[in-house]
Amino acid sequence: MSQGTSSDNKNLGFLLHIKGRVQGVGFRPFLYRLADSLGLKGYVYNRPDGVIAHIEGNETKCNAFLRNLKKEAPPASNIKEIFSEQTELNDFHDFKIISSKQSERIITEISPDIAICQDCIHELKSDNRRNHYPFINCTNCGPRFTLVDDFPYDRINTTMAEFEMCTNCRYEFNNPIDRRFHAQPVSCHECGPIYEFFWKGEKDVDFDSIVKTLGANINSGMAVAMKGLGGYNLTCDACNEVAIEELRKYKVREKKPFAVMFRSLEIIKEVCKISDTEEEILTSWRMPIVILEHIRKGYLAFNCNAGLDSIGAFLPYLPLHYLLFKELETDAIVLTSGNESDIPILYQEEKALHTFKKITGGLLINNRKIARRADDSVVKVIDNKPRIMRRARGYAPEPIDLHFDTSGILAAGGELSNCFCIGKEKQAILSQHIGDLKNFETYEFFCENISEFSRLYRFKPSQIVCDLHPDYLSTQYAREANLPFSQVQHHHAHITSVMAEYNLKNSVIGISYDGVGYGSDGNIWGSEVMVADYHDFKRISHFEYLPLPGGDAATKQPWRTALSYLYHALGKDIWQFNIPFFSKTDRKEAEKLIVAMDNKINSPLCCSAGRLFDAVAALLCICFESHYHAEAPLLMENYLIDDHNESYSFSGDTQISFTAMIREIILDITGNKSPGSIVTKFHNTIALAALHQVRVAYKESGIKQVILSGGTFQNKYLTEKLVHLLNQAQFEVFYPQEVPCNDGGIALGQLAIAANKQM
Ligand code: ZN
Ligand code: ZN
Ligand code: FE
C-alpha cells in the first residue's frame, strides 16, 4: 500500500450537529450502533438544540456513516439539518454516549408520543420478563410529549423520574447493543408504575386479574374508564347498542359519532373501505384516528356513529389496548376521551376517582403521571393525501418550519377547536388540540397550557395576536395579557395559515368557507374569496348576506336558516309550497321569526357557507335540529352519489346569490327527485360557485395560486371536486395537510401575520 495517500486508509474526524426531531426517538443509540458497526470512534450527546456527534476513523467509513445517518434513521425521527465540520484527530479509544449538556438558550424538538412498535408487541406476548407488561416501550416507541417535564429529554426530566430502575432495566438502559439503550421510560414489572382498578367498592392491584375483569365487564356490556396515554378514556363494546347508550348518557353526548378502535387492520378492512394511503396512516407510528368510508353497516351498533357513512377508526396504540383485546369477545370498542362533552380530557387521578365513581364497569388508574394531556388525533385522506383535522397525540408538538422570524409572538387562536401557537425563531409551535373555548374548564386548560409551553420552550411572549371576534375567550385572554396586541380577521388567518404551511411568499387567491367568522364589517362571514398576503387582504367576493333568525340559535336549529333562505327566495307566499319542510315546521314560530327578520331583531347578517349547508339539509328534512357541530353537512354527505354532474343556478360576481338554486331545489323536491341527486347537485353548485369566485378574483389580480381553507373543506366530496375544477382551469391549488383547515389552524395564520408586521 502507498503511504497514507490512498483515501481508503486516511483517518478523518468530523464534528456533527444534527437538528430536527432527534431526541426521544432512539437517535443516540442508533448513532452508537452505526458508528460501532463501521468501527468508528468518538462520542455522541444530546444538547437542547439537537444531537452532537464526533466521529473519527477511516474516510470511507466516515462517508458511509454520513450516508446511512439519513437513510437508516429511526422511524419517528426527522432530521432537518446536519452541520458537519472536519476536525483534528483526537485518537478516541471507543464510541461513547455521554450525558446530556444543559443550555438554557436554545431547545430542540420534543418528540410526539409514539405508538407501541412491533418489537414491543412481540415481546409483550412472548415468554420473557416483560410478558404482559402494560408499560412496555423501547427507544423506538412509547410516550414522549405526554411524559416530558423539561428539556433535554432525559429520564430525570420525565414523569418516570420517580421510578428507580431495577438492576435488569438499568443494565438494558446502559447496554449499547440493547434495544432499550437509553430508552428514557424503560421499566418492568419489578420497577415500573402500576395499575389499580376500582370496581364495586373494591380495589385490585394484580394486573392480570385486572385486565380479565375489565375484559369481562366490557363483554357483558358495561362501560369502563381507563387511564390512557394523554388522559382518561371511556370505552365499551362498539357492537353493543345498550353499552353505547350508557356511555352517551355518561358523556352527555347525544349523537356525535364515536371513534372506534378495531382489533386489527383486517377487521377494519371488513367494515370500512380503505385506500393504500389510509392504510399507511392507520399503521404509521403516529396511529391517529382515520376517517374512513363505512361500508359494512350493521356490524357496529347503530348509535356508534348514528348511521353516518363515515367512521373514525384506529388501531390499538398502547400495550394496554393489546392486552385488553386478548380478553375481549368483540373486535371493536368505542374509545373516547373521558370527560363530559365540551370539557377537556381528564388526566389527573383525583378528578378521575371523583368523576368516574359511578361508571358501571370500573375505573382503571395508574401511578405514571401524565405531564400534559393529549387527545387522539384525527386524520382524513382528501385528494389522496393525509389531512390533519385534529392535531394532538402523535403529531403535537411538531413545529412548522417557516421562512420568517416569529420570535416572541403568541397567537391565541380562535374559539372552536382552539389551538394556540408560539413563535420560536423560524418555527411555529402549535399546541395540541385544546377544544371549544366556551366553558371554564377548557379556558383553564388553554391558560395552563400557554404557561406550560412558555416554560418548556423558554418562551417569553413580547406580543400577542388573536381573532377579531370581541367575544372569543381567546380574544379576551389576549386583551388582558398586558402585552402589545393585534387582531386578525378570521378568514384572513385561515388563508395565511396555509400560506405559512406551504411557505408561500407572494399574494394568493384564498377561498375560505366555514361556519362562522367575525367579519371586518361586523357581520358573520364564511364564504370569502380574498386576494391576500401576510400583510393585508382584499375581500373580492362572498355569498349574499341573509339574516340569521335568532343568531346563534340558528347554528343549533338549521331549520331557521332554511326559513331565511326560503323567505328570501319566495317572499311571503312560502306556505303555498307543498314540501315536507313546511309540514315539519311550526308555522306560528316561523311567522314570528319572519317578523323578527323584517324588523331586523336578533337577526344578524350572515354569508357563511356552513349555514347554507345547514339550510339545504333542513330544507330536505335531513337535519332539522343539530346535536353537534357540523351535523347537518355531515349527514348530507351520506346522500352523495357518484358520477352525477348536474348543478343548480347561482348568480352574481361579488355577491353570489343562491335564490335561483333554492327555487330549483323546491321544484326538484316537488318533482320527487331523489335526495341523493339534490344533495349532489347542491355540492356541485357550491364547487362551481367557488370556481366562479376564483375566476373573478383572477381577473382582478392575475394570480394563479389558490388556497382552500376553512372548516367547510373538511368535506371530501366538495374539496376533491373543487380541486379538480381549479386544476382544470389551470390554477395551482394549496390545501392544508399538516395544519387543520378548520379553526384549529387559525393560530398559525395569526402568527404569520403578526410576524410579517414586525418586519
Ligand atoms: Zn418498542
Ligand atoms: Zn425494571
Ligand atoms: Fe373558521
Side-chain angles (χ1 to χ4, degrees):
M1 292 280 257
S2 61
Q3 293 129 13
T5 47
S6 152
S7 63
D8 268 2
N9 29 5
K10 195 163 67 180
N11 273 352
L12 294 178
F14 286 98
L15 190 61
L16 309 172
H17 178 189
I18 305 151
K19 284 181 144 183
R21 187 171 59 247
V22 289
Q23 291 189 11
V25 289
F27 210 82
R28 286 174 303 169
F30 155 70
L31 289 189
Y32 178 92
R33 282 190 293 266
L34 186 59
D36 198 50
S37 70
L38 293 163
L40 297 174
K41 318 275 188 230
Y43 58 84
V44 58
Y45 65 87
N46 270 349
R47 216 166 65 176
D49 60 343
V51 166
I52 303 293
H54 199 158
I55 55 162
E56 211 168 273
N58 174 295
E59 182 175 6
T60 318
K61 299 280 169 68
C62 284
N63 287 333
F65 183 92
L66 292 170
R67 255 195 330 272
N68 294 346
L69 173 59
K70 279 196 164 169
K71 251 192 354 222
E72 292 166 15
S77 68
N78 178 17
I79 300 175
K80 285 191 179 148
E81 278 175 296
I82 303 176
F83 301 95
S84 91
E85 65 180 88
Q86 214 173 319
T87 57
E88 311 233 302
L89 294 178
N90 286 278
D91 290 326
F92 297 119
H93 296 297
D94 51 8
F95 194 89
K96 270 201 185 95
I97 295 188
I98 52 184
S99 59
S100 302
K101 302 245 155 97
Q102 273 287 4
S103 141
E104 276 294 306
R105 206 170 51 81
I106 20 184
I107 40 104
T108 187
E109 293 187 28
I110 304 179
S111 163
D113 296 315
I114 307 171
I116 184 171
C117 73
Q118 287 305 319
D119 289 341
C120 285
I121 293 172
H122 181 76
E123 212 179 311
L124 195 63
K125 293 175 189 161
S126 38
D127 191 18
N128 68 80
R129 65 186 202 94
R130 284 197 187 81
N131 174 263
H132 280 203
Y133 181 55
F135 296 95
I136 193 167
N137 65 78
C138 69
T139 55
N140 286 322
C141 79
R144 303 287 187 266
F145 176 62
T146 53
L147 192 81
V148 173
D149 260 336
D150 205 354
F151 280 115
Y153 177 65
D154 278 330
R155 184 162 178 122
I156 187 81
N157 288 328
T158 71
T159 61
M160 282 298 289
E162 60 187 271
F163 300 96
E164 176 121 21
M165 278 182 234
C166 68
T167 323
N168 284 330
C169 284
R170 187 166 297 283
Y171 178 76
E172 291 167 331
F173 186 85
N174 289 323
N175 177 8
I177 53 163
D178 195 279
R179 63 183 203 87
R180 294 202 169 80
F181 179 47
H182 283 214
Q184 304 303 335
V186 68
S187 63
C188 71
H189 285 294
E190 203 186 310
C191 65
I194 51 157
Y195 275 104
E196 292 180 347
F197 182 61
F198 298 87
W199 187 47
K200 288 186 167 172
E202 311 253 328
K203 180 166 118 176
D204 191 351
V205 292
D206 176 67
F207 187 73
D208 279 340
S209 130
I210 290 174
V211 87
K212 282 204 165 64
T213 317
L214 267 176
N217 289 358
I218 293 173
N219 288 339
S220 64
M222 293 182 221
V224 305
M226 46 190 207
K227 188 169 177 181
L229 194 64
Y232 278 84
N233 291 119
L234 290 168
T235 182
C236 73
D237 182 353
C239 304
N240 184 328
E241 193 129 2
V242 182
I244 294 174
E245 211 39 56
E246 184 202 329
L247 212 145
R248 286 202 177 276
K249 275 203 199 111
Y250 214 87
K251 274 193 70 122
V252 200
R253 174 154 149 172
E254 214 181 328
K255 280 196 166 161
K256 191 173 172 188
F258 282 130
V260 177
M261 179 177 278
F262 289 87
R263 185 187 291 273
S264 66
L265 189 64
E266 289 61 45
I267 309 278
I268 295 186
K269 285 179 175 170
E270 279 178 34
V271 183
C272 305
K273 191 172 143 189
I274 82 168
S275 67
D276 291 349
T277 313
E278 285 160 341
E279 178 169 338
E280 210 176 286
I281 310 159
L282 277 167
T283 55
S284 72
W285 61 269
R286 303 180 195 267
M287 285 207 173
I289 296 169
V290 183
I291 309 285
L292 300 172
E293 191 184 334
H294 184 198
I295 47 170
R296 195 169 144 204
K297 299 266 173 80
Y299 179 89
L300 300 170
F302 179 82
N303 56 352
C304 200
N305 69 337
L308 286 185
D309 264 3
S310 56
I311 189 106
F314 57 153
L315 287 167
Y317 59 84
L318 281 184
L320 173 67
H321 301 148
Y322 277 90
L323 297 170
L324 181 60
F325 265 112
K326 270 180 71 175
E327 306 297 331
L328 294 179
E329 286 155 10
T330 181
D331 289 326
I333 52 175
V334 164
L335 192 89
T336 181
S337 50
N339 54 346
E340 274 184 22
S341 285
D342 300 330
I343 288 177
I345 188 167
L346 272 177
Y347 74 118
Q348 285 156 327
E349 279 55 74
E350 312 83 70
K351 275 205 175 156
L353 285 166
H354 175 76
T355 311
F356 302 123
K357 235 179 354 213
K358 288 192 184 135
I359 195 119
T360 52
L363 165 66
L364 179 69
I365 69 169
N366 67 51
N367 59 343
R368 184 173 76 189
K369 279 197 207 86
I370 295 173
R372 65 193 56 78
R373 26 187 159 198
D375 283 280
D376 290 317
S377 294
V378 180
V379 172
K380 196 168 175 181
V381 171
I382 295 181
D383 196 28
N384 207 28
K385 291 204 179 75
R387 319 287 179 168
I388 301 177
M389 301 289 153
R390 183 165 80 196
R391 202 171 178 275
R393 178 183 57 78
Y395 292 89
E398 223 169 23
I400 313 278
D401 290 314
L402 304 168
H403 66 268
F404 44 79
D405 188 56
T406 61
S407 299
I409 304 172
L410 168 63
E415 176 161 84
L416 288 174
S417 316
N418 178 281
C419 272
F420 64 82
C421 185
I422 62 171
K424 281 297 271 189
E425 294 166 15
K426 289 188 173 178
Q427 287 191 327
I429 300 156
L430 272 165
S431 74
Q432 74 273 41
H433 164 85
I434 290 178
D436 297 347
L437 278 194
K438 51 190 178 198
N439 55 57
F440 181 68
E441 285 87 347
T442 321
Y443 181 67
E444 236 184 3
F445 175 23
F446 168 82
C447 298
E448 273 168 21
N449 213 25
I450 291 179
S451 320
E452 261 290 280
F453 268 61
S454 304
R455 181 183 65 80
L456 262 182
Y457 288 97
R458 280 70 166 162
F459 171 79
K460 222 179 154 211
S462 56
Q463 60 159 305
I464 182 161
V465 52
C466 63
D467 197 90
L468 200 57
H469 201 302
D471 301 335
Y472 281 3
L473 286 178
S474 51
T475 307
Q476 288 176 24
Y477 176 91
R479 214 176 259 137
E480 287 159 15
N482 247 332
L483 284 169
F485 99 111
S486 55
Q487 289 176 285
V488 169
Q489 200 282 322
H490 189 91
H491 304 96
H492 187 203
H494 267 308
I495 293 164
T496 52
S497 73
V498 186
M499 289 180 69
E501 184 189 321
Y502 286 100
N503 265 312
L504 303 181
K505 296 185 175 108
N506 300 321
S507 295
V508 295
I509 294 176
I511 315 177
S512 183
Y513 283 3
D514 66 359
V516 192
Y518 191 84
S520 313
D521 58 2
N523 294 327
I524 303 167
W525 292 8
S527 55
E528 318 312 307
V529 166
M530 298 172 168
V531 169
D533 59 20
Y534 294 117
H535 299 279
D536 208 355
F537 69 89
K538 184 173 180 201
R539 188 186 187 206
I540 305 289
S541 66
H542 56 90
F543 296 174
E544 195 176 18
Y545 279 127
L546 248 61
L548 213 53
D552 267 355
T555 320
K556 295 226 164 91
Q557 297 183 316
W559 69 268
R560 288 173 180 251
T561 317
L563 181 75
S564 178
Y565 270 94
L566 284 166
Y567 179 53
H568 185 71
L570 310 168
K572 298 250 186 249
D573 300 330
I574 49 174
W575 305 102
Q576 63 169 325
F577 291 91
N578 185 20
I579 54 169
F581 176 82
F582 289 114
S583 36
K584 260 194 108 170
T585 309
D586 179 339
R587 184 159 172 176
K588 261 197 196 142
E589 208 184 334
E591 275 168 351
K592 263 194 237 160
L593 292 180
I594 288 176
V595 173
M597 284 194 277
D598 281 345
N599 294 300
K600 300 187 168 54
I601 298 166
N602 193 17
S603 303
L605 290 180
C606 168
C607 66
S608 109
R611 292 296 85 79
L612 178 56
F613 274 79
D614 281 1
V616 173
L619 185 53
L620 295 171
C621 297
I622 289 172
C623 182
F624 238 57
E625 308 249 342
S626 176
H627 304 83
Y628 56 90
H629 183 65
E631 183 181 5
L634 272 176
L635 284 174
M636 270 210 288
E637 285 185 40
N638 273 12
Y639 292 85
L640 285 165
I641 47 180
D642 291 333
D643 304 321
H644 188 80
N645 287 316
E646 287 176 40
S647 61
Y648 294 112
S649 316
F650 60 88
S651 59
D653 286 338
T654 54
Q655 296 206 35
I656 312 293
S657 162
F658 292 100
T659 303
M661 176 183 80
I662 298 292
R663 291 202 191 107
E664 288 166 10
I665 290 178
I666 291 173
L667 282 179
D668 273 356
I669 297 174
T670 49
N672 281 326
K673 287 270 166 59
S674 76
S677 99
I678 300 175
V679 164
T680 313
K681 277 169 85 175
F682 165 68
H683 278 73
N684 294 343
T685 311
I686 300 301
L688 287 168
L691 174 67
H692 179 67
Q693 283 181 281
V694 167
R695 285 204 160 116
V696 172
Y698 172 72
K699 249 188 223 160
E700 197 175 316
S701 64
I703 294 169
K704 279 270 167 188
Q705 295 192 316
V706 178
I707 277 172
L708 308 189
S709 190
T712 303
F713 292 113
Q714 293 173 110
N715 181 316
K716 182 178 163 87
Y717 180 92
L718 175 73
T719 306
E720 289 180 350
K721 184 103 196 165
L722 181 55
V723 168
H724 176 72
L725 289 172
L726 287 166
N727 284 334
Q728 256 184 349
Q730 311 291 321
F731 288 101
E732 192 187 355
V733 183
F734 298 88
Y735 176 64
Q737 244 185 290
E738 287 187 42
V739 174
C741 68
N742 57 45
D743 288 3
I746 286 285
L748 176 62
Q750 294 172 344
L751 182 96
I753 289 171
N756 282 279
K757 213 175 259 173
Q758 290 179 320
M759 298 196 294

